[in-house]
């Protein structure tokens, strides 16, 4: 017998299996418990346009779902899009109770809980809400703000240098950290870098998820912020390994600094179905994103090295005094190889 709390914990883990493949949809996990508390179905939303987590679980359970409990990480959808409404499917399956972690903030799809209650089902919300929100933070943030969730990733020495005085930067971080970055890339919809990084390092900005360096099947969109169109024709970001958008000021408009309007870039990415963005490479571009208030999370790989001089990991984030420093909350700290990886969320401005 499985408790509803245990089932929700397992559903949250199931939801994580969809990271990187569901946009513009959320990641969702679902477990179905029989009337006597046995797991009779489970599933997750694997890709946009595919069956939702509840439908996958119902297909496994069949008649064993009747009289049972649905445990799901996000409020069942209440509209017909590329698939039918999950709320109606749960009603037709004869369930008696639905346990939900997070209410759906999308006005197009929300209302499933009310529909279920109107049909006579018991509905409880908020079970392991914080944990489920963290696992779906990119989609939830994107929907609430109408722009993609942005994670700034950087690698630096202990004294904050991303490259030596002579410009060399390979490799600041360990092989284990670099592999970890490819796993991180596999969970996002787009990777953003500045033209300065392209000119200096000629990165490919792809997911190479195997240790032999072979490419993953699914590749994020590569976005190069290039105000004046300086990306070379033979740059690796222009190869056929993944789709690429070279965005110029002429196309996206200029921001207050005369460079590409970053808000316009994120607005366009959201319109393209991008919900989760990884900002990589370029201390100037990172500073511009931070100054504009467009970074939601920071993931740093700190190597046990000292350079004393060289390129800093971040320049000019629009901060002139210590009172204006951007404050973060650590959410995870781990050792990756010989490096320290930290994950931190930006505090809302009102808390600074």
């Amino acid at each position: 017998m499985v408790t509803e709390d245990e089932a929700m914990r397992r559903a949250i883990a199931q939801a994580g299996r969809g990271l990187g493949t569901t946009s513009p949809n959320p990641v969702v996990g679902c477990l179905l418990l029989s009337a006597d508390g046995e797991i009779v179905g489970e599933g997750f939303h694997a890709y946009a346009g595919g069956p939702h987590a509840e439908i996958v679980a119902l297909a496994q359970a069949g008649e064993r779902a009747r009289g049972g409990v649905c445990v799901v990480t996000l409020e069942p959808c209440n509209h017909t899009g590329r698939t039918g409404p999950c709320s109606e499917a749960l009603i037709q399956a004869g369930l008696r109770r639905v346990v939900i972690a997070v209410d759906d903030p999308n006005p197009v799809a929300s209302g499933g809980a009310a529909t279920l209650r109107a049909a006579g089902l018991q509905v409880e919300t908020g079970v392991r809400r914080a944990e489920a929100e963290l696992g779906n933070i990119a989609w939830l943030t994107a929907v609430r703000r109408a722009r993609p969730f942005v994670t700034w990733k950087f690698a630096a020495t202990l004294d904050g240098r991303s490259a030596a005085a002579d410009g060399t930067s390979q490799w600041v971080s360990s092989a284990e950290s670099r592999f970890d970055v490819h796993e991180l890339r596999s969970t996002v919809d787009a990777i953003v870098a500045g033209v300065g990084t392209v000119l200096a390092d000629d990165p490919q900005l792809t997911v190479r998820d195997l240790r032999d360096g072979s490419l993953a099947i699914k590749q994020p969109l590569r976005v190069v912020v290039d105000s004046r169109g300086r990306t070379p024709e033979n740059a690796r970001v222009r190869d056929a390994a993944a789709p690429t958008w070279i965005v110029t000021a002429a196309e996206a408009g200029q921001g207050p600094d005369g460079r590409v309007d970053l808000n316009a870039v994120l607005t366009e990415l959201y319109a393209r179905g991008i919900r989760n963005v990884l900002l990589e490479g370029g201390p100037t571009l990172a500073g511009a994103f931070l100054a504009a208030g467009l970074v939601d999370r920071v993931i740093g790989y700190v190597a046990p090295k000292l350079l004393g001089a060289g390129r800093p990991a971040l320049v000019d984030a629009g901060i002139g005094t210590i009172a204006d420093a951007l404050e973060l909350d650590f959410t995870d700290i781990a050792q990756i190889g010989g490096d320290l990886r930290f994950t931190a969320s930006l505090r809302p401005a009102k808390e600074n």
Side-chain angles (χ1 to χ4, degrees), residues 131-199:
E131 187 178 344
E133 285 218 359
L134 185 61
N136 208 13
I137 191 64
W139 183 85
L140 290 168
T141 301
V143 170
R144 290 165 180 164
R145 299 182 180 176
R147 68 151 175 85
F149 180 84
V150 176
T151 299
W152 172 42
K153 185 279 296 180
F154 72 91
T157 60
L158 197 59
D159 54 346
R161 305 291 176 174
S162 62
D166 65 357
T168 54
S169 61
Q170 294 183 330
W171 295 101
V172 167
S173 58
S174 66
E176 291 85 354
S177 289
R178 297 194 297 275
F179 183 74
D180 194 70
V181 168
H182 284 287
E183 291 188 334
L184 175 61
R185 286 178 176 178
S186 73
T187 67
V188 304
D189 308 320
I191 301 171
V192 179
V195 67
T197 295
V198 171
L199 294 173

Side-chain angles (χ1 to χ4, degrees), residues 5 7 17 22 51 56 58 64 66 70 73 89 91 94-95 101 154 182 191 214 238 338:
D5 185 73
R17 297 175 62 185
T22 63
V56 174
L58 285 170
R64 294 177 295 171
R66 191 164 298 277
C70 171
T73 59
I91 293 168
L95 290 157
F154 72 91
H182 284 287
I191 301 171
S214 60
R238 292 186 183 271

Side-chain angles (χ1 to χ4, degrees), residues 109-318:
S110 63
T115 296
L116 292 166
R117 289 191 178 102
L121 280 74
Q122 300 174 13
V123 178
E124 181 179 356
T125 62
V127 175
R128 289 190 174 266
R129 184 192 304 274
E131 187 178 344
E133 285 218 359
L134 185 61
N136 208 13
I137 191 64
W139 183 85
L140 290 168
T141 301
V143 170
R144 290 165 180 164
R145 299 182 180 176
R147 68 151 175 85
F149 180 84
V150 176
T151 299
W152 172 42
K153 185 279 296 180
F154 72 91
T157 60
L158 197 59
D159 54 346
R161 305 291 176 174
S162 62
D166 65 357
T168 54
S169 61
Q170 294 183 330
W171 295 101
V172 167
S173 58
S174 66
E176 291 85 354
S177 289
R178 297 194 297 275
F179 183 74
D180 194 70
V181 168
H182 284 287
E183 291 188 334
L184 175 61
R185 286 178 176 178
S186 73
T187 67
V188 304
D189 308 320
I191 301 171
V192 179
V195 67
T197 295
V198 171
L199 294 173
D201 300 332
D202 194 23
Q204 193 176 26
L205 300 180
T206 53
V207 180
R208 298 181 293 281
D209 65 342
L210 303 178
R211 292 192 182 275
D212 63 4
S214 60
L215 291 171
I217 295 173
K218 184 262 179 185
Q219 292 291 335
L221 172 69
R222 300 177 292 194
V223 181
V224 179
V225 180
D226 183 359
S227 297
R228 300 193 299 276
R230 295 184 292 151
T231 303
E233 289 299 322
N234 63 347
R236 292 207 298 164
V237 292
R238 292 186 183 271
D239 66 19
T244 302
W245 179 29
I246 310 293
V247 55
T248 64
E251 179 181 5
Q254 292 185 357
D257 58 1
R259 298 189 176 102
V260 170
D261 184 340
L262 299 179
N263 279 287
V265 172
L266 292 184
T267 297
E268 173 60 24
L269 289 174
Y270 188 83
R272 296 187 185 193
I274 301 297
R275 299 292 180 263
N276 195 354
V277 164
L278 184 63
L279 174 60
E280 285 201 48
T284 301
L285 184 62
F289 265 87
L290 285 163
L294 298 176
V295 174
D296 301 295
R297 180 174 65 177
V298 178
I299 297 179
Y301 296 84
V302 181
K305 300 175 183 177
L306 297 171
L307 285 173
R311 185 173 67 196
L314 177 66
V315 296
D316 193 10

